C-alpha cells in the first residue's frame, strides 16, 4: 500500500534544519555588515570582486560571474554597472563571443578587494571556524559536500554550476 502522506522531519532533523536555515540567513547578513562597515561594499559585491581577482586576467563573463556568486544574470549586470561607476570593474565585449559581456577587475578593484580580504577572512573565521575543532570542521565539510551534491542534481537554474564554482583553485 502506498500513501501520499509526507514524511515529516524527526525532532533531530527539525533542529538541524532550523540551525542550518538560521546560518544560511544570518551569516550573509553578518558578512554584509562587516564588509559595508570596513570596505564600503556588500557581501555579494565582495564575492564578485574576489571571483574576478582569482580568475586569469581578472576577467569573467557576466553569466559566469552570476553563476559563481549565485545570482541571476540581470542582477549581476546591475551590480557590475554599480561597481563600474565606482571604478572597480570595467565591462568589455567578450573577444570570443561578441554577444557576451565580460567583467574586468581594475587596479583600483584589485586594491579594494585585497584591502577588504583580511577583515572578511577574520570575520568568517570568527563566525564559522573558531568554534569548530578538526573533527567538526571535517564533518561540516562532508555535510556541505552532500548538500551541494544533492543541489547539483536538481533542475534549479544555478544547479549545474554549483560544483564547478565551489572547486578549490589550483
Amino acid at each position: 500500500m502506498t500513501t501520499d502522506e509526507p514524511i515529516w522531519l524527526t525532532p533531530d532533523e527539525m533542529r538541524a534544519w532550523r540551525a542550518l536555515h538560521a546560518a544560511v540567513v544570518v551569516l550573509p547578513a553578518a558578512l554584509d555588515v562587516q564588509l559595508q562597515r570596513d570596505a564600503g561594499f556588500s557581501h555579494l559585491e565582495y564575492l564578485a570582486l574576489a571571483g574576478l581577482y582569482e580568475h586569469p586576467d581578472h576577467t569573467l563573463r557576466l553569466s559566469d560571474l552570476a553563476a559563481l556568486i549565485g545570482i541571476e544574470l540581470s542582477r549581476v549586470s546591475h551590480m557590475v554597472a554599480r561597481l563600474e561607476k565606482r571604478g572597480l570593474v570595467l565591462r568589455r565585449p567578450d573577444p570570443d563571443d561578441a554577444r557576451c559581456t565580460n567583467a574586468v577587475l581594475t587596479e583600483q578593484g584589485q586594491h579594494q578587494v585585497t584591502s577588504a580580504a583580511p577583515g572578511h577572512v577574520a570575520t568568517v573565521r570568527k563566525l564559522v571556524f573558531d568554534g569548530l575543532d578538526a573533527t567538526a570542521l571535517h564533518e561540516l565539510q562532508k555535510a556541505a559536500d552532500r548538500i551541494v551534491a544533492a543541489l547539483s542534481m536538481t533542475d534549479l537554474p544555478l544547479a549545474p554550476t554549483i560544483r564547478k564554482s565551489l572547486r578549490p583553485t589550483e
Side-chain angles (χ1 to χ4, degrees), residues 32-76:
D32 258 342
V33 167
Q34 178 270 317
L35 285 163
Q36 286 288 353
R37 180 190 66 227
D38 297 347
F41 41 79
S42 72
H43 183 231
L44 282 178
E45 290 170 333
Y46 176 83
L47 291 174
L49 295 171
L52 289 168
Y53 185 83
E54 293 173 355
H55 271 75
D57 301 323
H58 305 300
T59 301
L60 274 171
R61 280 186 180 172
L62 292 186
S63 57
D64 292 336
L65 186 59
L68 178 69
I69 62 176
I71 62 175
E72 303 85 19
L73 180 57
S74 62
R75 190 167 171 203
V76 85

Side-chain angles (χ1 to χ4, degrees), residues 145-156 158-164 166:
D145 284 345
R146 288 181 183 136
I147 293 168
V148 168
L151 288 169
S152 70
M153 297 303 170
T154 68
D155 61 355
L156 296 170
L158 296 175
T161 62
I162 290 173
R163 279 211 158 138
K164 179 181 170 188
L166 294 180

